[in-house]
Amino acid sequence: MSELVLVEIADGVATITLNRPEAMNALSIALRRALHDAVRRVDDDEAVRAVVLTGAGTRAFTAGLDLKELGSQVGALGAANATDASDNPVKAIEACRKPVIGAINGVAITGGFEVALACDILIASDNARFADTHARVGVMPGWGLSQKLSRLIGIARAKELSLSGNFLDAATAERWGLVNRVVPAADLLAVARRLAADIASADGEFIIAYKQLIDAGHALPLGEAIALEHRVSSAANAQVTPESVEARRAAVQARGRAQ
């Protein structure tokens, strides 16, 4: 039996691959637990500074919860409201302190859409598509989609997607601000890993702290978020010496000239 989740680490970047292509990478109980373990592993690995999450094959990033499993096991539907990260892949991803880039290689449907929204950055292949079919299967979202999507693309567009269950193509997803960019399918992993490598080239502890500040502030009203930034910035910048800034200045300038 093949591994349900593959992990590859190189040059500070971990690539995590959901590996059930024959089942459109559906989120079975076993896969969810394997994903949790993989995310914990790379989060604990000091050599890893950024993560790429993708699906095996070209058909699906993930089709969401395994509906066959849901229909055959008593109590399995509780996964839609699971609060433990070992059973809730969104919480597993959100618990990762390091930036997670979702490389959306195919369809991201319902629970799979929620997994995509848990990532910090989304890059989609040109054959990626997104759909929220909760209304079609009669299961209310429990992993955050009903609240996150409207904040990303606007409430009217979110209602259009969620109430119809229609698919959203990659080009429209980019135009609506759901994904950062769309690239040819053959280039997807290379582009995602290149961006991850750019992130990994910065100071790892600073990136962790900066991501945490952005996320914490985003959950607050703007005035409170600005106050939070001031508190965090004042404490952190009090530790920065002119010598450390000067030591990094030349590298920053050289990188700017090269880009």
Side-chain angles (χ1 to χ4, degrees):
M1 182 177 177
S2 61
E3 293 183 66
L4 292 174
V5 173
L6 306 176
V7 178
E8 179 184 348
I9 299 174
D11 302 321
V13 175
T15 302
I16 298 176
T17 304
L18 307 177
N19 191 36
R20 291 185 74 204
E22 75 288 348
M24 297 183 71
N25 300 317
L27 300 166
S28 64
I29 293 172
L31 188 147
R32 296 197 303 272
R33 290 174 180 169
L35 175 60
H36 168 261
D37 292 345
V39 173
R40 284 282 301 273
R41 171 186 160 192
V42 301
D43 195 48
D44 290 341
D45 189 338
E46 293 184 0
V48 174
R49 295 186 175 185
V51 180
V52 173
L53 176 65
T54 193
T58 58
R59 294 173 61 210
F61 172 66
T62 168
L65 283 172
D66 190 325
L67 295 182
K68 289 183 180 180
E69 190 174 75
L70 288 181
S72 64
Q73 295 187 13
V74 176
L77 191 55
N81 298 102
T83 57
D84 192 287
S86 64
D87 201 27
N88 181 328
V90 168
K91 287 192 175 295
I93 295 164
E94 290 177 341
C96 185
R97 299 168 302 147
K98 297 158 186 181
V100 179
I101 299 171
I104 312 302
N105 54 298
V107 295
I109 304 174
T110 312
F113 199 169
E114 300 200 73
V115 169
L117 294 179
C119 299
D120 299 294
I121 298 165
L122 292 181
I123 299 175
S125 77
D126 50 13
N127 64 357
R129 295 193 300 161
F130 301 84
D132 176 11
T133 64
H134 282 99
R136 297 289 175 180
V137 299
V139 177
M140 282 289 185
W143 294 348
L145 188 150
S146 69
Q147 303 306 307
K148 291 180 181 177
L149 188 59
S150 62
R151 287 162 170 77
L152 282 170
I153 65 174
I155 192 167
R157 285 171 170 168
K159 286 178 180 177
E160 176 184 342
L161 285 181
S162 296
L163 302 183
S164 70
N166 290 342
F167 278 85
L168 182 72
D169 63 86
T172 306
E174 181 181 28
R175 190 169 71 249
W176 285 7
L178 178 63
V179 303
N180 293 61
R181 72 195 74 164
V182 177
V183 300
D187 299 336
L188 177 64
L189 265 185
V191 171
R193 283 170 169 162
R194 188 157 57 244
L195 176 58
D198 287 341
I199 294 171
S201 68
D203 181 83
E205 291 300 318
F206 190 94
I207 291 298
I208 288 172
Y210 204 172
K211 172 185 167 176
Q212 183 179 35
L213 174 60
I214 294 170
D215 286 342
H218 187 68
L220 298 172
L222 180 59
E224 293 178 32
I226 294 296
L228 171 67
E229 182 194 71
H230 179 73
R231 292 195 301 273
V232 172
S233 176
S234 297
N237 291 345
Q239 308 302 315
V240 177
T241 66
E243 292 78 16
S244 67
V245 173
E246 180 60 26
R248 297 185 183 190
R249 181 177 63 85
V252 171
Q253 290 179 331
R255 187 170 187 270
R257 289 191 293 268
Q259 288 186 323

